[in-house]
Amino acid sequence: MTTDQKQASTDRELTGSEILLRCLIEEKVEFIFGYPGGAVLPIYDSLYYGSIKHILYRHEQGAIHAADGYARATGKPGVVIATSGPGATNLVTGIATAQMDSIPLVCITGNVPQNLIGTDAFQEADITGITMPITKHSYLVQDVRDLPRVVKEAFHIATTGRPGPVLIDIPKDVSNAKAPFSYPETVSIRGYQPTTNPHPLQIEKLQQAIAESKRPLILAGGGVVTSGADQQLIAFAERAQIPVTTTLMGIGGFPGTHPLWLGMPGMHGTVAANRALLECDLLIGIGARFDDRVTMGRIDKFATGAKIVHIDIDPAEIGKNVDTYIPIVGDVKRVLETALKDPPVSQSQAWLEKLKGLKQQYPLTYKQSDNMLKPQWVIQHLYETTGGDAIVTTDVGQHQMWVAQYFRFSRPRSLISSGGLGTMGFGFPAAIGAQLAYPDRTVISVTGDGGFQMTAQELAVVALANIPVKVAIINNQCLGMVRQWQEVFYQRRYSEVDLSGSPDFVKLAEAYGVKGLRARTVDEARQAWREALDHPGPVVIDFQVDPEENVYPMVAPGAGLDEMMLGDEKA
Amino acid sequence: MRHIISILVNNQPRVLARVASLFGRRNFNIESISVGESEEPGLSRIVIVTHGDARTMEQVSKHLHKLIDVIKVQDLSIQQSVARELLLVKVGATASNRAEIQGIIEPFRASVVDVGINSLMIQATGDREKLDALIELLRPYGIKELARTGITALPRSMQIQPKAQMHA
C-alpha cells in the first residue's frame, strides 16, 4: 500500500470486514485458506476485489490443514477463515493439530451478531469456549475499533515465543460496523514477554557438562526447525563431537545423511538412537518436549545415568515430563549461537565408535519379496528419486513411521507431519498448502488408504488450480498401525480395521480430473513414479503394498527403551 | 501440601474460565477459587487454593504464566500472608437459645446479620480452621443453609523470616 492509499484509508471509515482485509494485507498474508458461510458473508464480500489469493477448500478441515502445511513449509503464519457454528467447529481438529506441534496459525471465524450470541441462534457455537484448551490465545471481537489491535496481537502471539494457533472470532455485526482504520505499529502485551535470550550462567554450566561428558547425546526436536537453528545445530554437534537423534518433529533439523546422526528415537526409533538414550551420561534436549513416544512414558527407564539439559523457549516444558539438571530457557537458535562462541569438546571418541558400530549392526531393514510391493521399498524409492530436498507430508500411522525411517531429509521444513496430535487426513491438504508456498519444489503427500479418505475431497482443489502435488497412497487395504497393534497386543483379533469398500483410487482421482496411477509390483512402482514425476500436474499413485507389513523396531507402550522388538528380520 | 496461589489477570471476559480450565485440563486440583477487582484498574486478582508437591506447583505457576491474560503469579503459602474467607450460616434458633448462640459466636468476632422467627444468620470472617471450628460449634443447633466464599489473600508487608522463593 502506498502512503497516499494509507492516508486515504485513514480518512474514511471502513467496515469491519474491510478493516480485517487491510490488516491481513499489512501482515503480508499471501493466501487465505477458507470456506464461506452466512456469518462471514461481509468478509467474503470484501475479499471479492481483494489482492489476497483465497483458496476454496471442500471442507474447513482441509482448509486449516492446508494453512498448517503452508505454515510448516514456510515458517510464516497460516491464515484460515471459516463461518460460525459448523464452519468453526470443523476447524477444531486442525487447531488442536497446530497447537500440539506449535504451528503459527491465525484462525478467523465469523459468529452470529452479538445480539444473538447466547440465544442458540442458527449456526451459533461458542467457538472461543470450545477451542480455549487448544489455542495459544483467542479473541472474541466485541467492538470494530478493537479489530486492528486484535489482528496485530494475534499475528504477534501466533508467531513469537513458542508459536501456536490464535483464534479471532468476529460477530457479523462487528464485520458490518464502521470505524476509521489505522494499523498499530507495535505490540505491547503486558502478560506476554517470551524469553529469547538464554541466561549466560546456564550456558556456562552446559559447556562444563559437555567438557566433562564421555557419552553425550543431543535429542533435537521441532524447536530446532521452528527457530531455524539447523546450521547452528550442525556446527555445535560437529565441534563438540556429540551424536544427534532427531524426534519426528525434529527430522530435517539435522541432515539424515550426517555421520553424527543416529536416526529417530523412541517407539519406532533405531537401535542406535535408543541405546544412546539408555546409556548416555549427558542428554541435551534441544527444542524437544520429551513426549511419551520418545520416553515411552517410562521416566524410570529413560536416560537414567544422564545429566539432562533441557533447552526450550517455553519454560513450562522444562520439568514437565523429565527432571532437568540444567534448564535453559530461550530461543534455540540464540542458545546455540551463544554456546558456539566458546564451544567445548566432549571426550566422546569411544562413544561415537560404539554408536557407529550399533548403526552398522542394526540398520533399518525389511524382508524383500518377489511378488509383493513392500511399503519401505516405496518410501526408499521416493527418496532415492527425489533426494532429501523434496517436501513430504504424511498422516499418522505406519506410512508416517516408514517415511520417518527411510526418507533421509537433508533440510528443515521438508517433513510435514502431524506429530503431537497424530491427525489422520492431515497430510494431503497440508501438501496443498506447502505446494502453494513452493510451486517449483516436489511435494509428495505420502498417505495411507485410511487417512487419504478423510480429506480426499480436496482433490477438487488440486485439480482446479493444477497444484502438482504427488499423492502416494501406501495402500494396505486396512488401518495398518491399528492392525499392527491388534496383531501384537490383541492376539490378531482384527477388530474393524479392514478398509474393504475403499474406492478405486485411480478412478477417484480421474473423477476429479486428476491423473491416477496404480502399482502392484516393484517394476510397476518404478514406472508409475517416473510417470508421476514427469507429469506437470497433480497425480495420485495407488501403491498396493503387502498388507501384512509391520513397522519395526518397536517398543511396546509401557515398556522401556531397553525392550525393543526388532521384528522377524532380526529376531 | 496446600498452596494459596494469587494470580493477577487482565479483567477480560472469560479470563476466569481460562484459568479454571487450565487447572482442569492439566489435572491440577482446585479447592477454592475467588476473584475480584485488584488495586489496579483493569486488573483482577484470582486466589486459588490448591494441593500439590513442589513439582506440581512449579508446573501450575509456569502454565499460568503461559496464559496471555496472566500478569503475575505468586504462591502466598511460601511467604507470610493473610488469608481470609467469609462465612454466612443460617442456624436454627429459638427464643430460648438465642443468647446462648450469641455467646458462642462472640469469641469468633462473628455477628448476627439477619434474624428470622426460627433462625439466625451469622456472618464470620477468618482463616479456614477458625470458620470450620465455628461451624462445628453451631452444628448442634441445626444448620439450615451455609455459604463460604473461598479464600482470598494478600502477602504481609513485613516478611519476617521470609520463606522460599517461588519458581517462576
Side-chain angles (χ1 to χ4, degrees):
Chain A
M1 208 185 288
T2 65
T3 322
D4 285 355
Q5 280 171 317
K6 259 186 186 169
Q7 192 54 46
S9 68
T10 51
D11 287 349
R12 70 181 179 93
E13 296 210 321
L14 302 178
T15 64
S17 55
E18 287 167 338
I19 288 173
L20 176 67
L21 262 293
R22 292 289 177 93
C23 294
L24 297 179
I25 290 165
E26 292 279 344
E27 290 293 337
K28 302 186 171 57
V29 171
E30 288 179 279
F31 295 104
I32 294 176
F33 303 85
Y35 204 101
V40 285
L41 277 172
I43 297 174
Y44 274 83
D45 189 59
S46 303
L47 270 175
Y48 196 70
Y49 290 113
S51 58
I52 302 179
K53 293 182 209 85
H54 178 278
I55 317 289
L56 175 66
Y57 286 78
R58 293 303 183 267
H59 189 296
E60 287 88 353
Q61 188 178 356
I64 188 164
H65 290 328
D68 184 317
Y70 171 87
R72 289 182 203 234
T74 59
K76 295 187 233 171
V79 178
V80 61
I81 297 185
T83 193
S84 65
T89 53
N90 278 344
L91 296 180
V92 167
T93 303
I95 295 174
T97 303
Q99 168 82 348
M100 287 286 269
D101 290 341
S102 310
I103 305 304
L105 287 188
V106 174
C107 309
I108 298 162
T109 49
N111 211 331
V112 299
Q114 288 184 86
N115 64 333
L116 292 180
I117 286 183
T119 66
D120 302 324
F122 177 66
Q123 292 196 328
E124 187 202 352
D126 173 17
I127 196 63
T128 320
I130 289 168
T131 57
M132 204 178 272
I134 51 166
T135 49
K136 186 172 173 187
H137 193 54
S138 50
Y139 294 91
L140 170 62
V141 185
Q142 291 170 306
D143 187 329
V144 66
R145 287 166 298 183
D146 292 336
L147 203 45
R149 175 185 59 81
V150 164
V151 176
K152 181 87 184 174
E153 285 184 7
F155 275 87
H156 177 69
I157 291 169
T159 53
T160 54
R162 180 180 183 171
V166 177
L167 177 93
I168 308 175
D169 195 25
I170 309 175
K172 197 171 179 180
D173 57 312
V174 173
S175 289
N176 282 327
K178 286 191 166 185
F181 173 69
S182 75
Y183 202 59
E185 301 270 313
T186 55
V187 177
S188 163
I189 308 168
R190 193 169 161 191
Y192 180 69
Q193 314 282 344
T195 307
T196 49
N197 288 322
H199 197 286
L201 200 70
Q202 298 303 90
I203 300 285
E204 267 177 48
K205 283 189 192 165
L206 166 66
Q207 308 284 48
Q208 198 186 337
I210 292 171
E212 287 166 2
S213 74
K214 292 194 167 61
R215 298 185 308 280
L217 175 67
I218 289 171
L219 173 68
V224 173
V225 175
T226 305
S227 76
D230 49 301
Q231 292 307 315
Q232 286 75 9
L233 177 60
I234 295 168
F236 181 73
E238 284 177 352
R239 284 206 222 157
Q241 281 299 292
I242 305 179
V244 178
T245 175
T246 44
T247 70
L248 181 71
M249 291 304 295
I251 283 177
F254 193 79
T257 47
H258 198 287
L260 284 171
W261 192 58
L262 302 176
M264 184 174 68
M267 184 173 272
H268 294 296
T270 62
V271 172
N274 282 347
R275 285 280 285 278
L277 279 171
L278 288 164
E279 294 174 26
C280 61
D281 65 357
L282 175 69
L283 178 59
I284 308 171
I286 307 181
R289 61 195 178 88
F290 297 92
D291 178 71
D292 61 275
R293 283 303 186 264
V294 172
T295 65
M296 304 308 299
R298 289 297 299 272
I299 305 306
D300 56 324
K301 288 192 166 191
F302 181 79
T304 45
K307 292 175 178 174
I308 296 181
V309 182
H310 194 168
I311 302 167
D312 207 294
I313 193 150
D314 180 359
E317 279 305 330
I318 293 170
K320 188 178 85 176
N321 294 333
V322 294
D323 287 326
T324 305
Y325 179 72
I326 306 172
I328 303 177
V329 176
D331 175 68
V332 164
K333 190 173 181 174
R334 298 266 181 97
V335 172
L336 290 178
E337 276 169 352
T338 313
L340 277 168
K341 282 179 193 152
D342 182 25
V345 180
S346 61
Q347 309 150 50
S348 60
Q349 273 321 307
W351 171 240
L352 289 172
E353 284 304 314
K354 178 182 175 166
L355 295 174
K356 198 173 151 193
L358 281 173
K359 269 169 81 174
Q360 282 162 355
Q361 196 184 344
Y362 297 103
L364 293 164
T365 53
Y366 58 94
K367 261 188 201 153
Q368 282 290 5
S369 163
D370 290 336
N371 50 9
M372 265 194 282
L373 191 55
K374 290 288 182 169
Q376 299 94 329
W377 182 90
V378 174
I379 305 299
Q380 244 174 345
H381 186 64
L382 300 187
Y383 168 63
E384 281 159 13
T385 47
T386 57
D389 286 343
I391 295 176
V392 180
T393 71
T394 77
D395 278 10
V396 65
Q398 287 185 320
H399 72 276
Q400 177 190 37
M401 290 298 108
W402 286 318
V403 167
Q405 290 178 334
Y406 290 93
F407 208 102
R408 297 290 179 90
F409 293 93
S410 57
R411 63 188 219 198
R413 302 196 179 281
S414 43
L415 172 60
I416 292 176
S417 186
S418 168
L421 198 68
T423 307
M424 286 177 76
F426 169 81
F428 174 46
I432 302 174
Q435 186 81 78
L436 284 167
Y438 297 107
D440 298 330
R441 285 180 71 182
T442 304
V443 178
I444 311 168
S445 160
V446 179
T447 175
D449 44 329
F452 183 60
Q453 290 184 68
M454 287 197 174
T455 45
Q457 74 282 351
E458 308 306 341
L459 280 168
V461 176
V462 293
L464 213 62
N466 198 33
I467 299 168
V469 169
K470 315 298 177 200
V471 183
I473 304 174
I474 305 299
N475 184 355
N476 57 7
Q477 297 148 55
C478 68
L479 295 172
M481 190 61 97
V482 181
R483 192 203 55 78
Q484 176 170 342
W485 281 47
Q486 289 173 340
E487 178 186 327
V488 180
F489 306 120
Y490 294 88
Q491 293 75 46
R492 297 176 187 264
R493 288 196 295 277
Y494 295 126
S495 181
E496 300 297 325
V497 287
D498 183 355
L499 288 180
S500 297
S502 296
D504 177 329
F505 290 115
V506 174
K507 282 189 181 164
L508 179 72
E510 284 166 355
Y512 280 100
V514 171
K515 189 181 181 72
L517 299 165
R518 178 169 293 117
R520 294 186 190 84
T521 63
V522 163
D523 284 344
E524 285 176 12
R526 279 184 209 279
Q527 197 187 333
W529 183 240
R530 174 50 41 212
E531 211 177 313
L533 284 179
D534 288 344
H535 182 69
V539 185
V540 172
I541 314 107
D542 180 18
F543 290 105
Q544 298 198 340
V545 299
D546 181 355
E548 302 270 300
E549 194 60 43
N550 286 339
V551 182
Y552 287 110
M554 180 183 192
V555 181
L561 289 177
D562 55 335
E563 300 166 75
M564 297 184 79
M565 294 184 264
L566 297 180
D568 314 337
E569 187 78 345
K570 288 139 278 181
Chain B
M1 189 188 154
R2 191 163 170 263
H3 289 263
I4 302 171
I5 312 292
S6 168
I7 311 155
L8 197 63
V9 298
N10 285 325
N11 189 356
Q12 293 276 334
R14 288 190 195 263
V15 171
L16 184 62
R18 280 184 207 280
V19 170
S21 109
L22 170 79
F23 272 72
R25 182 166 85 86
R26 296 278 174 192
N27 206 15
F28 304 140
N29 162 64
I30 292 180
E31 182 185 296
S32 85
I33 187 165
S34 75
V35 59
E37 289 169 357
S38 74
E39 67 282 358
E40 197 178 324
L43 300 187
S44 294
R45 181 166 274 114
I46 300 173
V47 177
I48 292 181
V49 181
T50 182
H51 289 265
D53 55 19
R55 187 198 177 103
T56 310
M57 284 308 119
E58 187 181 319
Q59 283 293 309
V60 167
S61 167
K62 284 173 167 179
H63 283 285
L64 283 170
H65 274 292
K66 278 179 78 168
L67 296 179
I68 309 292
D69 285 319
V70 168
I71 310 287
K72 190 177 173 185
V73 180
Q74 281 178 291
D75 188 344
L76 297 183
S77 44
I78 57 170
Q79 50 185 305
Q80 272 136 18
S81 56
V82 176
R84 293 288 182 268
E85 68 175 281
L86 170 70
L87 164 76
L88 289 176
V89 56
K90 204 182 276 178
V91 293
T94 57
S96 59
N97 66 11
R98 276 180 194 208
E100 191 181 313
I101 292 172
Q102 274 288 359
I104 287 171
I105 67 171
E106 204 182 74
F108 289 85
R109 279 187 259 179
S111 51
V112 173
V113 289
D114 185 50
V115 179
I117 295 167
N118 297 313
S119 66
L120 287 176
M121 195 199 292
I122 293 153
Q123 165 191 301
T125 56
D127 60 23
R128 197 169 63 141
E129 289 72 22
K130 172 183 157 182
L131 299 187
D132 286 347
L134 178 60
I135 290 166
E136 286 316 306
L137 287 168
L138 292 174
R139 201 175 290 284
Y141 299 95
I143 290 172
K144 291 171 180 288
E145 281 181 86
L146 181 152
R148 302 173 74 151
T149 58
I151 294 277
T152 193
L154 283 177
R156 287 191 187 278
S157 303
M158 301 283 284
Q159 291 287 330
I160 300 160
Q161 295 172 322
K163 297 188 188 177
Q165 197 80 52
M166 187 172 190
H167 201 291

